Amino acid sequence: AQSVTQLDSQVPVFEEAPVELRCNYSSSVSVYLFWYVQYPNQGLQLLLKYLSGSTLVKGINGFEAEFNKSQTSFHLRKPSVHISDTAEYFCAVNPLGGGSQGNLIFGKGTKLSVKP
Amino acid sequence: NAGVTQTPKFRILKIGQSMTLQCTQDMNHNYMYWYRQDPGMGLKLIYYSVGAGITDKGEVPNGYNVSRSTTEDFPLRLELAAPSQTSVYFCASRMTGNTGELFFGEGSRLTVL
């Protein structure tokens, strides 16, 4: 069975500091990987995705993530955060095949709190 | 561009009451989903549909029902509401194909007292 583990439930950082939100996954088949962001009282929106090719993917709002197949990780990074980045971030995997019907499996989320 | 629209945004139910959460999308997506989100638990899939007339259970279907009579609409029905169904419900849709990018509605916050 596939699973997604977000290693930190909450990450407080100061404005303009770098941040890394960690995500590890477990899967017996190949996967597509995603990060979604949820701003307060809103639905989720796609931040970035890894389908194939370069293991470093860039997303919106200056975020990037690196796929590491040997570590089964897909950590999200930003070199300098802003107050407006305060949100909850979800890592998700799409297992390819295995009867998953293409349904995403979500991690439990990491709340990023950016302080002035 | 409306995208995915959910109604109502907020609702309070008494134990044992029933209600329907509405979801409609205008992107002609074949795949539609209902998730519930509970604090610290991420998103749990309730039901999904791969096209009009086809629905299937997700991870947590008990206490819910769905129907998909058109491509656009995917209502979620709660029968005999229980306090355990207090949650935020999200509807989402995506295109056919396996890149998995979901488009979400803004959510419906349901409280069962």
Side-chain angles (χ1 to χ4, degrees), chain B residues 9 21 89 109:
Chain B
K9 286 186 167 38
L21 300 178
Y89 293 84
R109 184 177 295 274

Side-chain angles (χ1 to χ4, degrees), chain B residues 32-87:
Chain B
M32 295 188 74
Y33 302 82
W34 275 106
Y35 291 91
R36 60 176 287 170
Q37 183 182 29
D38 300 298
M41 299 303 293
L43 278 77
K44 302 288 187 185
L45 182 62
I46 304 171
Y47 271 95
Y48 66 100
S49 169
V50 302
I54 307 169
T55 63
D56 208 347
K57 296 177 180 179
E59 185 180 359
V60 290
N62 291 345
Y64 307 94
N65 279 299
V66 293
S67 59
R68 184 93 182 272
S69 56
T70 67
T71 298
E72 294 78 19
D73 301 307
F74 190 42
L76 177 72
R77 179 138 181 101
L78 283 71
E79 304 282 1
L80 299 175
S84 61
Q85 293 178 305
T86 293
S87 189

Side-chain angles (χ1 to χ4, degrees), chain A:
Chain A
Q2 293 82 16
S3 65
V4 179
T5 302
Q6 292 185 241
L7 295 156
D8 305 294
S9 59
Q10 298 188 55
V11 174
V13 294
F14 287 105
E15 195 173 18
E16 298 183 6
V19 71
E20 178 180 81
L21 306 183
R22 297 179 294 167
C23 173
N24 285 91
Y25 69 92
S26 173
S27 178
S28 56
V29 298
S30 297
V31 297
Y32 291 152
L33 294 154
F34 304 82
W35 277 98
Y36 282 82
V37 59
Q38 183 181 32
Y39 298 106
N41 300 312
Q42 295 186 25
L44 281 71
Q45 60 185 102
L46 183 67
L47 199 56
L48 51 79
K49 61 185 177 185
Y50 172 79
L51 304 180
S52 65
S54 173
T55 57
L56 182 64
V57 292
K58 295 186 184 299
I60 60 172
N61 300 338
F63 283 92
E64 63 182 31
E66 186 158 18
F67 170 54
N68 187 320
K69 188 174 182 179
S70 62
Q71 303 279 337
T72 60
S73 67
F74 192 53
H75 301 332
L76 181 70
R77 302 186 183 101
K78 186 170 183 178
S80 176
V81 294
H82 302 290
I83 298 287
S84 59
D85 293 322
T86 294
E88 190 159 17
Y89 293 79
F90 292 92
C91 182
V93 300
N94 179 2
L96 305 180
S100 69
Q101 298 281 351
N103 296 336
L104 293 186
I105 300 167
F106 286 89
K108 293 186 176 181
T110 298
K111 290 186 177 178
L112 176 64
S113 175
V114 182
K115 305 176 186 305

Side-chain angles (χ1 to χ4, degrees), chain B residues 91-109:
Chain B
C91 180
S93 71
R94 70 172 176 91
M95 296 188 296
T96 303
N98 215 14
T99 63
E101 179 178 351
L102 293 175
F103 294 81
F104 283 83
E106 293 192 343
S108 299
R109 184 177 295 274

